[in-house]
Structures are given as structure tokens and as C-alpha cells.
Amino acid sequence: MRAHHFDVTNQLPLLHAPHATLFVLGALIGAAGNSGGGDGDRTSAEPAATRTVTASPEAAKVEKAEPAPTITVTVTKTAEAKATKAATSGDDAPAGKALFKVWGSAPSGVDITYGSDGTNLQGKGLPMTKTLAVDGDALYYQVTAQLQGGGDVHCSITIDGRTKSGRAQGGYNICSAQLNSDFSGGFS
């Protein structure tokens, strides 16, 4: 094998700087590596072989997927409240009479007032039912029931088949119902 000797200074007079010497030295090493003068131990640009390891069926136990949860939809229908006798008793008032009713629960008591614009009467206890003769000159008839600290009360007034009603719940709330006279001599 022959040794290659290059005289860099004679052939390239401008390469006297230190960085140029490094460049030339790198070029010489690269040329020697590609000269084919070795014993076949060259590196290649081909990718290296890879191995893939697959687990045996015993080692790769696959758990069964759980089924999706079942969704159940329940439809609940709300029952309509049955009408109480007091709220639908428009026929209970005799002709020419006003029927006043108060019912429910008032554990702490209830103050009841009923009558027309010309009368102011006090009622007692639950349930209460009172009847008054209708005065043709009255402008209105009403009933009120004020709770004394809690409860649930209903009230109604009926004249000539027409009924108005109200409700109060809790605290000191007031149930109120009123029928007003109209131009035809009736109440609405």
C-alpha cells in the first residue's frame, strides 16, 4: 500500500490560516475513509434490522369489555287533583243567598272575616260554612282567612251559581275570595 502525501502549502498558497489547516485535515480524513483500502468494515446508510416480539396468547390475556349500562326511562303521569266539594259547590247556595266557606288546616289558628261591603262578620274554626241573604245594593261579597303562623287553608264564596275561591299557605298569609256586583244585578 502506498502512502499518500500531499503538500498543501505548494498547491494551495492561500491556506496558511489555522482554520484552513483544520479544513484540509478533515478533507484528507474523509478521502482516506472512502478510498476502499480497508478490509470491508465500512458503515452503510442502510437501516439496521429490527426485531418485533409478540407475546404468547397465554401472556396476552384480554379482558372482556363490560357491556354498556342499560338506560331505563320511566314516565310518571301526574294525577289531576280531585275537586273538593267546597270548591265546586256552586249549587249549594240557595237562591238569593251568599255561601261562604273556609277549610284546611291552621295549627296556630286562623282569623276569618266574611260579608259584603256593608257588613264585616267574624268566623271561627275550621271548616267554616256561613250563609247570608244577598242585598241587591251590595257592591261585593268577600271572605278572607289569615293564617296565624302556618298552615294551608282554602276559601270560597258562591252566589247564584258563581264561585270564586282562594288559597293561603304558611306564615301569616291571607286567603281571599270576592264576587263583585255587575250591571245586570248579578255577581261575577
XYZ file of all heavy atoms in Angstrom, residues 54-63:
69
model
N -43.670 -10.596 19.912
C -45.109 -10.714 20.136
C -45.325 -11.657 21.299
O -44.742 -12.742 21.330
C -45.820 -11.256 18.887
O -45.482 -10.407 17.781
C -47.311 -11.275 19.069
N -46.167 -11.246 22.238
C -46.421 -12.076 23.420
C -47.253 -13.282 23.032
O -48.064 -13.238 22.107
C -47.140 -11.251 24.478
N -47.061 -14.350 23.767
C -47.832 -15.570 23.518
C -49.267 -15.357 23.956
O -49.560 -14.473 24.766
C -47.213 -16.738 24.286
O -47.326 -16.484 25.678
N -50.221 -16.150 23.466
C -51.622 -15.966 23.852
C -51.840 -16.083 25.356
O -52.713 -15.440 25.905
C -52.358 -17.071 23.095
C -51.462 -17.434 21.956
C -50.070 -17.159 22.436
N -51.064 -16.896 26.032
C -51.230 -17.023 27.477
C -50.820 -15.736 28.181
O -51.387 -15.339 29.188
C -50.387 -18.189 28.023
C -50.763 -19.549 27.481
C -50.047 -19.885 26.175
O -48.891 -19.461 25.972
O -50.666 -20.547 25.337
N -49.753 -15.080 27.655
C -49.251 -13.871 28.297
C -50.141 -12.669 28.001
O -50.220 -11.735 28.788
C -47.831 -13.591 27.841
N -50.781 -12.665 26.863
C -51.616 -11.520 26.470
C -53.068 -11.843 26.744
O -53.847 -12.106 25.847
C -51.397 -11.197 25.000
N -53.439 -11.837 28.008
C -54.837 -12.093 28.364
C -55.643 -10.829 28.118
O -55.316 -9.776 28.633
C -54.949 -12.495 29.825
C -54.345 -13.854 30.093
C -54.531 -14.218 31.531
C -53.908 -15.576 31.818
N -54.021 -15.930 33.211
N -56.678 -10.938 27.335
C -57.525 -9.798 27.004
C -58.784 -9.913 27.841
O -59.485 -10.922 27.792
C -57.868 -9.785 25.493
C -58.803 -8.643 25.182
C -56.600 -9.707 24.684
N -59.052 -8.869 28.625
C -60.270 -8.872 29.431
C -61.457 -8.540 28.538
O -61.360 -7.738 27.628
C -60.161 -7.826 30.541
C -59.112 -8.168 31.569
C -59.120 -7.165 32.713
O -60.198 -6.596 32.988
O -58.067 -6.968 33.309
